Amino acid sequence: PWCGPCSPHRGAAACPPAGEVRAAFLRFFQERHGHHRLPSAPVRPRGDPRLLFVNAGMNQFKPIFLGTVHPRSELAQHRRVVNSQKCVRAGGKHNDLEDVGRDTYHHTFFEMLGNWSFGDYFKEEACSMAWELLTEVYEIPRDRLYVTYFGGDSTLGLSADEECRDVWLRLGVPASHVLPFPLKDNFWEMGDTGPCGPCTEIHYDHVGGGRNAATLVNQGSPDVVEIWNLVFMQYSREVEGNLLPLPQHHVDTGMGLERLVTVLQNKRSNYDTDLFTPILDAIHKGCRAPRYQGLVGDADVGRVNTAYRVVADHVRTLCVCITDGIYPGFSGAELVLRRILRRAVRFCSEVLQAPPGLLASLVPTVVEVLGDAYPELMKNADQIMDIINENEAAFLSSLERGRRIIERTVQQMEPSTKFPAEVAWSLYGNLGFPLDLIDLMLEEKGISLDSAAFNELALEDAKRKAGGPQVAQRENMNTCLDVHSLAQLRSSNVPATDDSPKYAYTLGQHGQYEFSPCQATVLMLYRDQSLQKEVGAGQHCGVILDRTNFYAEQGGQDSDQGYMIRLGQQDVLFPVESVHLCGGYVIHEVTAVETLRVGDQVQLFVDEAQRLACMTNHTATHLLNFALRHVLGDSTEQRGSHVTAERLRFDFDTKGPVTVEQLQQVEQVVQDRIQRNEAVHMAEVPLTLARRVQGLRAVDEGYPDPVRIVSLGVPVESVLACDSKAAMQTSVELCCGTHLLQTGSVEDLAIISERQLVKGISRVIAVTGRQAKQAREVGQCLAMEVDSVSVRMKQRITSIPEMQNLSKEVGQLTKVVANTAVPQWQRKELQTILKALQRTANTAIKKLELQQAEKKAQSLLAKHCNQPVIIDTVPANSLSILMKVVNQLCDKSPGTSVLLLSPQASGEVLCACQVSKNCLPEFSAADWAVAVCTQMEGKAGGSHVVAKGSGNAKGMQGALTTALEFAHSKL
């Protein structure tokens, strides 16, 4: 039973809890109005690469609104739906991250209560249901509610939504509470194109007391806030910007649960509701700060209340995102989540003075608050806590080190100088410090960053990653040892680098990879093609060590990145930007933030995320190599490969183009091996012994001796056994690269590109893990869009503009399919379908144009019966149609010469003409068209028989006269 809203005169115990507010909403639409209740979609978008997170309730229903939903899918069966959707707004277009904490209503995570109608009910029912729920179920006083409606837009030719206004008036809302607003407030659009329509918003006056607060609606007043938005999707915005009515009308409503609960619990801040108070209490118990008081701005001394709000909001976001498979990482949504976590950690440690672990300790409280609505949180609580603790520990370590680096650098700086860009770049690139955090720490010390120099470093880095020629040349000077330097190293008995520690990693108890740090000694420095004993601060150089755990670029695998620190000097980081192997020496390209000398003892730290991504893609390359040979035949030989953290590339011999079916089979073979989760065996063996292995895969290049064998699923000893054919049934390769220890860690592989470089050699590009899963999701989404176009193409269309729009849609889809990362087999299938659809559309347009031209020609023949020359104006949508009318006239009346003009709405006049063969060569169609179009300040061209052109409408009457005079002068 609903207990009703709080009032100032009722005790707190009588306030409806947030869980009951949510449940009442869902129950109302499900039980009273026949809506189907759906669970919340995960906050990781499915098949929409343009979104970082699900940021609105309508995201999962976009295929319905866009008409791309598969007609046999479960989604297509729904007519009325209700749910509570988890939403995250951080990064991208909707980004509330930096506002969170500063006020009492911004959030990165929030819940969107929504009801939808897909071609079922519309304005009357939607408004009536909303009013019934708010005033009768939630018992919100009617005099505190105001509604807005779309007031029209003359530039778009849209009149005011009086239908909506009248619905509210019939429901008993006073006219003084029904307010019109312009396009920016009351017209909702999904994007630059697509479904859109007017909306009506319901606003609540927190003050009440019988006053009229109409003037405060949509004015940013904290006293009068929007609580519900009802969108009526009745138009589609086309590429050209015009609006066309949708064939089906939809309703999409969204009401933020946090704001609604604030109203019903008679609070003025979302953070004062029971969605947040248990979390704020838990924060207080776990830190040394005073209790939360709800202060903002200057009143919030020491930003303690801001910190409470930041931590409470961010821990909710972390719980929901991690549960839905988004983990703190280094790109896209993962990078945004990493920033959210680090922002929360910093407020915990620096402002709230909380011990490490506070953030993770809040997870059970979040689960208690949200778990009933989203039970998936309960299953993942331990995992969420582990991930938060691991990331917090890493960041606190980086934070402390970064603080020491900044303090030490500031002490050494001259007065009135700017903070050195090299140090800031090292903090940013190696410790993962956000720029705003660096700026904030410096601001607290009253100094500023040398932004110009920092931006220059960023530009250099971008050029280096893009392979800019100047930077590449600089790299070669520091990382590719010249012959004299190599000779000098050897004569000086400098030993070759021991790089075996690069293989020193293990699988942890919970399936995570653990990389051992490595201690080393600087043996020599290399700069500007000369060996040096010392390199100064700010200089780029190559560093030669006695041993390293960094992987040098070789065997088609990108080099590692990371940093090194001096032993005993933890606050100086030397970024390692790339690593190269030259003559047995591993050269680490480093930016020296301080003087670096031969003999320095250093500790090396590899960028583990990048290394693991390369390991994943390298093992996947071996799986792909095996699968290609299995599907295409034993003659398939590797011609080259390139492994990066983002993707893998593989070149191979092929007798012809790889078919769709073969691509699918290759992916399936790889999938089977991944699912088996086979062990990856690696061992060094004498090269002569390795080459005897039957089925061994090796490319035509020099190998070291002993050589490293990588075998998937079969121990190396078994592969080497006399007469063993084990390598015929799996992947066994000579390879110096770093690999996973189990194939299951690849998770998935999708070939997203396949093309012939030259005849007989093909190149495939593939992605793994989450990227592969995303490519499949996007592929399914595009397949549904193509299917939707196919269905519409089969309908009987008699309008040329409608068919042209469909043709244009096919063209746009063709571009998207060609340029989007989807499985290549699916791309080929879709391209085949789209090519056929384009032919169908073009044929249909020509047929419709001929039919239209024939009608116009008949009409003109009747008008100009048996005339040697026909000069006239005629309506035509395009030059193509106008030309067809001219052709039809001349076919039906061979002795007649014809010139037709067609004025367009844009002010342009189209011109087409054809001269009877009887009048040649004296009468030229090209000369005729030029004379006429020149009169209209335009241009024309063509042959003696046919010609076309265009001009300005202002000169059309004179052009008709010129046309007649020209014709008479030639006949």
Side-chain angles (χ1 to χ4, degrees), residues 486-497:
L486 275 168
Q488 189 179 338
L489 284 169
R490 287 166 183 153
S491 64
S492 303
N493 294 318
V494 176
T497 312

Side-chain angles (χ1 to χ4, degrees), residues 117-122 233-235 245-251:
S117 164
F118 307 124
D120 189 352
Y121 60 81
F122 205 45
M233 292 194 195
Q234 60 188 97
Y235 301 106
L246 281 173
Q248 264 197 331
H249 290 174
H250 306 298
V251 173

Side-chain angles (χ1 to χ4, degrees), residues 392-429:
E392 180 183 40
F395 182 53
L396 285 174
S397 171
S398 298
L399 201 65
E400 186 55 39
R401 186 176 294 168
R403 190 182 290 107
R404 289 202 309 269
I405 290 171
I406 287 175
E407 286 174 357
R408 185 169 171 277
T409 306
V410 169
Q411 287 169 8
Q412 296 174 351
M413 284 169 54
E414 297 290 330
S416 305
T417 56
K418 292 192 172 185
F419 192 82
E422 294 83 6
V423 179
W425 180 255
S426 179
L427 288 170
Y428 174 72

Side-chain angles (χ1 to χ4, degrees), residues 723-866:
D723 296 327
S724 170
K725 295 188 178 179
M728 304 291 285
Q729 307 303 319
T730 187
S731 166
V732 180
E733 294 193 35
L734 302 182
C735 181
C736 61
T738 56
H739 285 270
L740 298 171
L741 301 177
Q742 301 281 151
T743 60
S745 300
V746 176
E747 296 181 357
D748 194 6
L749 177 138
I751 297 170
I752 58 170
S753 171
E754 185 276 328
R755 65 187 179 92
Q756 283 205 311
L757 295 178
V758 293
K759 191 170 178 61
I761 298 180
S762 279
R763 167 173 290 176
V764 295
I765 292 172
V767 291
T768 58
R770 292 179 192 165
Q771 282 180 282
K773 286 180 171 60
Q774 186 179 27
R776 295 190 194 285
E777 288 175 4
V778 172
Q780 288 303 309
C781 190
L782 288 174
M784 287 191 287
E785 289 190 45
V786 172
D787 194 32
S788 170
V789 173
S790 299
V791 170
R792 282 178 283 153
M793 193 73 78
K794 289 171 185 172
Q795 296 166 356
R796 184 173 176 80
I797 297 174
T798 56
S799 160
I800 292 176
E802 194 177 344
M803 184 54 79
Q804 285 172 333
N805 283 337
L806 202 53
S807 174
K808 195 181 293 183
E809 195 174 335
V810 171
Q812 289 165 344
L813 258 178
T814 301
K815 287 181 184 175
V816 171
V817 167
N819 298 314
T820 305
V822 297
Q824 180 69 6
W825 64 263
Q826 192 168 35
R827 188 195 322 278
K828 286 188 171 185
E829 280 189 348
L830 295 178
Q831 285 174 329
T832 301
I833 296 168
L834 287 166
K835 196 172 181 180
L837 288 174
Q838 194 69 71
R839 280 198 303 267
T840 302
N842 292 344
T843 303
I845 290 167
K846 285 178 183 175
K847 187 176 178 182
L848 289 170
E849 286 181 347
L850 278 170
Q851 291 171 355
Q852 194 179 98
E854 193 166 357
K855 288 179 184 175
K856 293 180 188 298
Q858 291 284 12
S859 174
L860 286 167
L861 273 177
K863 180 179 175 183
H864 303 277
C865 190
N866 297 323

Side-chain angles (χ1 to χ4, degrees), residues 187-199:
F187 196 89
W188 185 91
E189 304 201 43
M190 186 185 293
D192 295 333
T193 61
C196 56
C199 61

Side-chain angles (χ1 to χ4, degrees), residues 385-396:
M385 292 172 73
D386 288 344
I387 290 173
I388 289 175
N389 276 329
E390 286 170 16
N391 280 272
E392 180 183 40
F395 182 53
L396 285 174

Side-chain angles (χ1 to χ4, degrees), residues 42-45 48 50-56 59 86-92 94 108 317 321 326 332-338 340:
V43 292
R44 175 182 284 282
D48 193 341
R50 291 160 289 194
L51 280 180
L52 290 172
F53 304 96
V54 166
N55 57 24
N59 288 160
K86 299 175 290 188
C87 298
V88 173
R89 290 189 178 174
H94 297 288
T108 51
T317 305
C321 287
I326 301 174
E334 284 80 7
L335 178 60
V336 175
L337 196 66
R338 181 175 183 243
I340 288 171

